[in-house]
Each structure stands twice: as C-alpha cells, then as structure tokens.
Amino acid sequence: MSFYTSLSGLQASQTEMSTISHNLANVSTNGFKKSRTDFADVIASSVSVAPSQQVGSGVMVKGNRQQFAQGNLIQSANALDLAVSGDGFFVVKPETGSSQVSFTRNGGFLVDADRFVVDSNGSHLQVYPVDGSGSVVATGLQSAISLQLPETSGTAAPTKAVTLGVNLNASSKVPTTAAFDRFDPSSYNQSAQTTVYDSSGNAMTLTNYFKRTSVSTDANTPSTWEVHSFVGDKELLSGGVAGSTMTFDGTGKLTNPTAPIAYDEFTTAGSATPQQIAFSFGDATTQKPSAFTVSQRTQDGKAVGQIQGVTIDEKGIVKASFSNGDTQALGQVMLANFSNPEGLRQLGNSYWSSTGVSGTAKLGEAGSNGFGNLMSGTIERSNVDITEELVSLIAAQRNFQANSKALDTASQISQTIFNIRS
C-alpha cells in the first residue's frame, strides 16, 4: 500500500511542478494570471477501524486555482493600450456579428486594416453604443458593438465667401514693371494666401497679389492698388475681367470696393462642380505707413475631417478627433466581472470563458461598483513573481525527491522480505 501512497505524492508533486513551470513560462505574457496547485489528503475510512488506527492513503490534487491578483502596470505610448486597475475583464469577439465572446485582461489593442480595434489575436473590442454626447444608449451583451474608428467626419462645404483684412504700406512704391506677372516679384508689392475648399472638400490656396498703381500726392488725391486673385494656377475673373482696383483716401481708409467682389464661376481640378466666391476686404483693410500685415482672414468652406487621434478617458468613453476640429464619441468600453473568477475556463492567449462555476458575466463600466478603474496608455503584465515561483519550484522538487525516497525505501523493504529464507 505504501507504494501507491508514495506514487500519489509523486504525481501530486509533478502536477505542482508543471503548474509552476507554466507560470514561469508566461512571466512576460501580458494579462496572464498565475495558478496555484491545491492538495487534499486521501483517507480510506471504514466503520470497523478505530479512528486512532486509520492510516492515510496518500494525496490528491484538489485543483489548480487561478490567482487573479493585479499584475504590474507599465506605461506605453499607445492610447489604445488599456489596463483595468482592479476587478474586471475586457470583452472581445472573434468577429463582428459573432455570438461567441471571450474575456481577457490583456489590453494591448491596435487598429486592423478595416479600422476595427482588435487585440493581438484579431478579436474585436466590445463597447456600449453612445450618442453624440457620449451617453450610453443601450446596455447588455446583445447591445455590444465592435469598436471601429471612422475614417472621416463631417460633410464637405465649398468656400463661398472670403474676408481678408490687410494693411498695405502707404510708403510702398509703384513697381517699375508695368505688366503684372505673378512669377515676377518685381511686378507686385505684396501677396497674401488664404485656404479655401472646393465642393469635394479639397483644400486650395487662394493667393491675392497687391500691386500699387498710383501714390496719393495730397489729401484729396486717392491712392490706388490693383489686386489679382488666383486659386492654384487659375486667375479669378470678375465680370470676365482680370484684376480689381482698390482705392484709399488720404487717411488710408478703403473707399473702393465697399461691397464684396463677386468672382465668376470656376471649376477646380479636384471637383467637377463649379463654384463662385464672393471676396471682401472688410473694415480691417487699411493703408497705413507701417509694414504689410494680415489682420483678418476668414472663409466659410469646410473640408471633410480626417481622423487624427483617439483618446479613452477613465470612464472608458472612446473619442476620435479629426483634422477639421470635430470630436466624435464612438462608444464606452465594456467591462465584465464574475462572482467567482477562479471558476473561469482558460482558453489560452490570455482568454477566459464563463462556466457554471464562475457564474454568468456581470457587465458594467469602469469606475462603477464592482469594477476597477480604466487606464489608457497602460498595459497589465503577468502577475507571476519569479522569486516566489522559484522558491515554490524548489519546494515541489524536494517533495518529489522525498516521495521518491519513500518509494525506494518501500521497495527495499519488500526486497528484504522476498530474500528471507525459511
């Protein structure tokens, strides 16, 4: 009988060493949770045997209990790297529309080719749907959606009105070159650029070239300038005529044009839809004896916003920012917790699934009752302590050796008995 008792000890020690080896092998696995082997003694009891005379029959592995203690948190430069400080699991699905869900503590997420936020296994991060203000509009696992980053935001609007306020230097001289040529800086005095947009939202540069044509000799003589406007390589015409005249009185006040210049329709290379721009110098345009400056520059066009960044706050609200200044709430990160996390089934790849022992998933949000805080730009490492595991490994090895010695001793005793001669 002692053979089987020692054998059970050997098997139990071997299981413990396998568990510890598995822990050590995953010391660098993000979100990994170590396990601990628990044992129970085996007693062969009988009603005919006095309690004081019972002899144990060995040991058995009661179970490998997972330890969900917090792992070390490390900082990263990726805003999509998430960590739960406290209780809770991220919910992921292998693909959109799948009914299968897994739970993980590994929050190393990235963006795939279809702009879904996925983990290293390609599973989609699940979030609650939200409205424009970031308020959750539906809860429950059936309402969860896969987090996908939009490519653009907003609707393009062509520029129809431009206002440019400048100060033209009253000391500027009339250029000696008679004919205006935008490629010849000596044929004009100053230029100013304004970004405008076509109907497709493509950005274009509207350049105004200012050429002085006459200088005021007294308070009653106006000073005149000629302005030429180009969008890219196309010069804008007003009534079929290129160039407009600006007039200032002796005090430097703009007297003409007082109304916006209505440029003729034109079509850009990036759009097939004609557009028309009304150009105004506003009240800020002056002619003073100071350097050329641009004091006002506005336009009403709008480009389609391109996504520039993603942020996730402590409540798990995911917001995307765009190049046109838009900010869009995309969802709230869903967290799950269980009555008995130790009863979760390990699936590998830092995944778990619920079982009857763990109980069904309780869903919630970061920072609420029963759920930890969400940290963006942070990764949770394994909770394996190398020193602790190595000490446990040495102890398990000693237990194995002790049981081996007991088995060897039992063998020697049996051999001695067999060798007794009558």
Side-chain angles (χ1 to χ4, degrees):
M1 194 66 182
S2 59
F3 282 97
Y4 297 103
T5 302
S6 298
L7 178 61
S8 68
L10 287 173
Q11 292 173 333
S13 297
Q14 189 173 19
T15 300
E16 183 178 22
M17 287 190 290
S18 297
T19 301
I20 296 171
S21 298
H22 181 65
N23 292 342
L24 289 171
N26 287 279
V27 68
S28 296
T29 302
N30 292 335
F32 176 80
K33 299 302 178 184
K34 68 180 181 180
S35 297
R36 183 189 71 204
T37 304
D38 289 342
F39 304 103
D41 59 323
V42 178
I43 300 294
S45 61
S46 173
V47 293
S48 61
V49 179
S52 61
Q53 294 178 341
Q54 286 182 328
V55 178
S57 300
V59 65
M60 64 177 291
V61 176
K62 194 69 174 178
N64 281 325
R65 298 183 60 184
Q66 300 177 77
Q67 306 297 300
F68 284 92
Q70 182 80 51
N72 290 329
L73 302 177
I74 61 172
Q75 300 296 314
S76 79
N78 180 14
L80 292 177
D81 283 341
L82 303 176
V84 180
S85 177
D87 296 330
F89 296 81
F90 299 109
V91 182
V92 294
K93 284 185 178 182
E95 59 185 14
T96 302
S98 173
S99 59
Q100 178 185 354
V101 295
S102 298
F103 307 96
T104 182
R105 293 280 295 191
N106 184 0
F109 296 105
L110 47 87
V111 182
D112 68 4
D114 297 319
R115 305 187 310 281
F116 284 101
V117 176
V118 299
D119 61 13
S120 57
N121 303 308
S123 297
H124 297 178
L125 175 64
Q126 299 300 293
V127 297
Y128 294 118
V130 297
D131 58 19
S133 65
S135 300
V136 175
V137 296
T139 59
L141 198 56
Q142 299 302 319
S143 302
I145 59 174
S146 296
L147 178 58
Q148 186 178 28
L149 305 184
E151 207 167 10
T152 59
S153 175
T155 304
T159 299
K160 296 181 179 180
V162 177
T163 300
L164 182 69
V166 298
N167 177 68
L168 300 175
N169 192 345
S171 302
S172 298
K173 297 181 179 180
V174 177
T176 56
T177 303
F180 166 75
D181 182 0
R182 66 190 182 99
F183 297 109
D184 182 7
S186 65
S187 66
Y188 59 90
N189 298 89
Q190 299 291 345
S191 64
Q193 290 75 37
T194 306
T195 299
V196 295
Y197 300 93
D198 63 17
S199 58
S200 299
N202 299 314
M204 308 173 293
T205 300
L206 169 62
T207 305
N208 296 100
Y209 298 91
F210 300 94
K211 175 184 178 180
R212 191 162 199 178
T213 54
S214 69
V215 179
S216 175
T217 56
D218 54 53
N220 297 321
T221 304
S223 174
T224 59
W225 294 72
E226 190 177 285
V227 57
H228 294 266
S229 302
F230 284 78
V231 173
D233 295 330
K234 183 187 294 293
E235 183 168 10
L236 302 184
L237 307 178
S238 179
V241 178
S244 302
T245 301
M246 301 174 64
T247 304
F248 295 89
D249 62 17
T251 64
K253 181 181 179 181
L254 180 68
T255 58
N256 184 65
T258 56
I261 302 172
Y263 287 115
D264 301 340
E265 283 190 347
F266 65 96
T267 304
T268 63
S271 175
T273 304
Q275 70 182 102
Q276 194 172 18
I277 291 178
F279 188 90
S280 174
F281 287 106
D283 297 329
T285 297
T286 58
Q287 178 186 272
K288 301 291 184 181
S290 56
F292 175 83
T293 55
V294 177
S295 57
Q296 182 183 12
R297 185 189 283 119
T298 61
Q299 55 85 24
D300 61 353
K302 186 178 181 181
V304 174
Q306 303 296 320
I307 189 167
Q308 288 188 321
V310 179
T311 59
I312 303 176
D313 64 18
E314 66 278 0
K315 290 292 185 181
I317 301 297
V318 184
K319 292 183 179 180
S321 55
F322 300 86
S323 57
N324 61 355
D326 288 350
T327 301
Q328 184 177 345
L330 307 179
Q332 184 178 35
V333 176
M334 174 186 293
L335 294 183
N337 203 0
F338 299 87
S339 300
N340 179 25
E342 294 178 357
L344 292 171
R345 184 185 303 278
Q346 296 187 65
L347 303 177
N349 294 318
S350 297
Y351 283 176
W352 288 271
S353 65
S354 60
T355 66
V357 180
S358 67
T360 58
K362 297 180 293 184
L363 303 177
E365 61 186 44
S368 61
N369 187 29
F371 296 91
N373 297 318
L374 191 66
M375 303 176 67
S376 176
T378 307
I379 285 287
E380 181 183 8
R381 301 299 301 272
S382 165
N383 66 349
V384 176
D385 186 313
I386 296 180
T387 303
E388 180 183 347
E389 296 300 316
L390 288 177
V391 171
S392 298
L393 185 61
I394 293 172
Q397 183 183 15
R398 290 288 184 264
N399 293 338
F400 188 90
Q401 291 173 337
N403 282 282
S404 298
K405 187 63 176 177
L407 189 62
D408 182 58
T409 301
S411 176
Q412 291 180 20
I413 293 173
S414 297
Q415 187 65 38
T416 300
I417 295 173
F418 293 152
N419 290 335
I420 295 175
R421 296 181 180 179
S422 56

